[in-house]
Amino acid sequence: MNLKEKINKQKLPQHIAIIMDGNGRWAKKQGFLRAVGHEKGTVAVRETVEICAETGVKNLTLFAFSTENWNRPKLEVKTLMKLLVSSLKKEIKTLMDNNIQLKAIGCLDNLPSKAKKELEEVIEKTSNNNLMTLTLALSYGSREELLSVIKRISEKVSAQEIETSEINEDFVQQHLYTHDLPDVDLLIRTSGERRISNFLLWQIAYAELYFTDILWPDFRKEDLLEAILNYQNRERRFGKTSEQIN
Ligand code: IPE
Ligand code: IPE
Ligand code: MG
């Protein structure tokens, strides 16, 4: 039986989030500039999106650029932004052919105007697609997201639009960038690093974490299937006992 057949369609993660890491190290290993690693990383993005659509995963969120990544050398940032524009232009067809809706989370106003414009265009063009939602985290940082939530909620309290007693988990969730996405079920990080790096801190509260040593440009369909299978073999207890679950 191949990997795909082993997947239990009744137990699919509703939302997979991926910290796509290791492009630089991949390039260095091959003796290339870091930019080549980023370029090759787009192949892994395409494979991942396709296999999610094929298996029936409804929500995929990819960490493409963090608020902290602005501190990288100017040239690398420029390369990444250019790559974003060219990938969006190239992938719009795949998104339309596969009925995939594109969304973006993060401080999008910080993106160069060209990248922002291209992104908005693809978001608009794919807005009626409904097989799967692909969310790109761009200039995204979880602390920035939570801070802006706190500020907006405080303003509502100050303006007496709501009472402090009305602030609950659902209310906070409704103010997140990810307000229309379910919680993350499976968080994958490639490249052997075992950290969260300011990604979706609220949303991964009960996610299953999966770390692999594979560098992002080498990540292929089978690797994602492997991660899903691993996820399906775990017992998610949400605070209960094993006996309560079974
Ligand atoms: C991930 O790969 C891509 C981004 C963070 C934009 P890296 O560029 O972080 O690659 P490493 O970690 O240096 O290998
Ligand atoms: C996290 O990767 C951000 C993205 C994958 C876009 P980094 O490579 O920037 O993370 P750190 O700085 O090593 O934790
Ligand atoms: Mg990295």
Side-chain angles (χ1 to χ4, degrees), residues 78-115:
K78 209 171 157 186
T79 306
L80 283 164
M81 292 303 146
K82 268 194 182 162
L83 197 58
L84 171 65
V85 175
S86 62
S87 302
L88 286 167
K89 282 195 198 309
K90 213 158 86 191
E91 301 306 331
I92 173 82
K93 190 174 176 321
T94 319
L95 297 176
M96 293 310 289
D97 289 350
N98 290 285
N99 195 9
I100 298 168
Q101 181 175 33
L102 186 82
K103 286 188 178 168
I105 55 172
C107 249
L108 305 180
D109 285 341
N110 291 347
L111 297 175
S113 53
K114 214 170 160 187

Side-chain angles (χ1 to χ4, degrees), residues 210-224:
Y210 181 87
F211 299 105
T212 167
D213 289 338
I214 299 169
L215 301 172
W216 180 250
D218 288 331
F219 197 79
R220 287 293 168 271
K221 290 187 175 180
E222 302 71 49
D223 301 311
L224 189 87

Side-chain angles (χ1 to χ4, degrees), residues 183-244:
D183 274 353
V184 175
D185 292 311
L186 171 61
L187 174 73
I188 299 172
R189 182 169 191 151
T190 58
S191 90
E193 305 298 354
R194 285 161 167 76
R195 55 177 174 266
I196 304 300
S197 303
N198 200 13
F199 192 40
L200 302 174
L201 298 176
W202 177 282
Q203 299 87 336
I204 61 165
Y206 249 109
E208 295 296 328
L209 309 182
Y210 181 87
F211 299 105
T212 167
D213 289 338
I214 299 169
L215 301 172
W216 180 250
D218 288 331
F219 197 79
R220 287 293 168 271
K221 290 187 175 180
E222 302 71 49
D223 301 311
L224 189 87
L225 293 172
E226 199 80 69
I228 296 176
L229 277 173
N230 182 290
Y231 163 88
Q232 294 191 328
N233 286 317
R234 299 185 190 189
E235 183 178 64
R236 303 187 78 195
R237 288 190 288 276
F238 297 98
K240 296 183 179 170
T241 67
S242 191
E243 289 70 23
Q244 282 177 295

Side-chain angles (χ1 to χ4, degrees), residues 14-61:
Q14 274 201 71
H15 186 178
I16 298 181
I18 307 183
I19 303 175
M20 311 183 288
D21 198 13
N23 295 353
R25 276 162 286 166
W26 183 92
K28 197 171 176 192
K29 247 176 61 184
Q30 327 271 330
F32 296 135
L33 293 171
R34 294 176 59 84
V36 181
H38 295 314
E39 171 88 43
K40 287 286 174 196
T42 61
V43 179
V45 171
R46 190 177 315 129
E47 293 242 339
T48 304
V49 172
E50 281 176 0
I51 193 66
C52 281
E54 284 168 34
T55 37
V57 172
K58 286 285 172 203
N59 300 284
L60 172 68
T61 299

